[in-house]
């Protein structure tokens, strides 16, 4: 079994990706649907962020307007305006950081899932087809031969 999480796993992913691209083009027609669903999930989070920021700004505008009216009624400047503005800026910044973190976490999960899918499919298609024996397979194909195959996926 190959790992897609380590540095060696990154190399395994790219070798598997290259092999599948050259020898199993139908896989990439299928995986295109997955890529589109990933993009849609990101779009939905970006839209969610925009809605959340808009709603917060609406609430902050109401709060600021209320403070402005109170200031006019008291016929004096209220130092609370500066404090409220600072609070609003901090709230917007915190909300933006939250949503950016959510988007980045989703992207990381999608990347790991995608890489895992490519490596798993490669293992099933190539290593399972008998072209190369799995690690627990017959001793007729030594590990170094299997690794050499992965290191040179450019063969036709």
């Amino acid at each position: 079994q190959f790992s897609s999480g380590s540095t060696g796993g990154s190399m395994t992913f790219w070798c598997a990706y290259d092999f599948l691209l050259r020898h199993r083009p139908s896989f990439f027609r299928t995986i295109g649907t997955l890529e589109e669903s990933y993009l849609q999930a990101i779009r939905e989070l970006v839209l969610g962020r925009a809605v959340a920021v808009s709603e917060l700004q609406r609430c902050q505008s109401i709060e600021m307007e209320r403070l402005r009216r109170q200031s006019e009624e008291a016929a004096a400047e209220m130092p609370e305006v500066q404090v409220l503005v600072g609070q609003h800026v901090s709230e917007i910044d915190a909300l933006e950081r939250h949503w950016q973190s959510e988007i980045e976490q989703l992207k990381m999960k999608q990347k790991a899932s995608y890489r895992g899918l490519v490596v798993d499919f490669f293992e099933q298609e190539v290593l399972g087809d008998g072209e190369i024996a799995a690690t627990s397979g017959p001793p007729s194909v030594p590990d170094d031969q299997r690794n050499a195959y992965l290191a040179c996926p450019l063969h036709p």
Side-chain angles (χ1 to χ4, degrees):
Q1 171 104 3
F2 296 103
S3 163
S4 59
S6 65
T7 304
S10 179
M11 182 60 129
T12 299
F13 165 76
W14 286 112
C15 290
Y17 186 91
D18 182 72
F19 176 87
L20 292 170
L21 183 64
R22 294 172 185 271
H23 301 283
R24 304 293 194 277
S26 62
F27 175 71
F28 287 92
R29 286 190 292 275
T30 302
I31 207 164
T33 305
L34 177 65
E35 291 171 353
E36 184 57 39
S37 73
Y38 284 174
L39 289 172
Q40 183 60 33
I42 297 297
R43 283 187 210 113
E44 288 172 6
L45 276 183
V46 169
L47 179 61
R49 175 179 63 187
V51 168
V53 167
S54 177
E55 179 62 19
L56 179 59
Q57 288 173 334
R58 186 187 69 76
C59 291
Q60 289 175 340
S61 293
I62 291 168
E63 189 176 20
M64 189 62 76
E65 181 61 24
R66 188 179 65 240
L67 185 61
R68 186 191 63 79
R69 282 191 205 129
Q70 289 173 353
S71 176
E72 285 177 357
E73 290 171 5
E77 269 193 49
M78 300 179 78
E80 298 167 5
V81 172
Q82 290 179 346
V83 173
L84 188 59
V85 168
Q87 177 186 331
H88 287 177
V89 169
S90 295
E91 289 171 351
I92 293 280
D93 287 347
L95 188 63
E96 285 286 352
R97 280 191 309 274
H98 165 77
W99 281 98
Q100 191 59 37
S101 173
E102 290 289 320
I103 291 168
E104 290 304 314
Q105 285 178 7
L106 179 60
K107 286 179 179 180
M108 287 176 19
K109 287 178 187 176
Q110 289 175 340
K111 181 179 178 181
S113 173
Y114 186 87
R115 286 174 168 258
L117 180 67
V118 168
V119 172
D120 289 348
F121 188 79
F122 172 79
E123 288 175 345
Q124 291 172 1
E125 284 292 301
V126 177
L127 302 181
D129 279 350
E131 290 182 34
I132 297 187
T135 306
S136 61
S140 60
V141 180
D143 282 346
D144 58 337
Q145 209 174 1
R146 178 175 28 82
N147 292 336
Y149 180 80
L150 287 174
C152 304
L154 302 178
H155 297 298

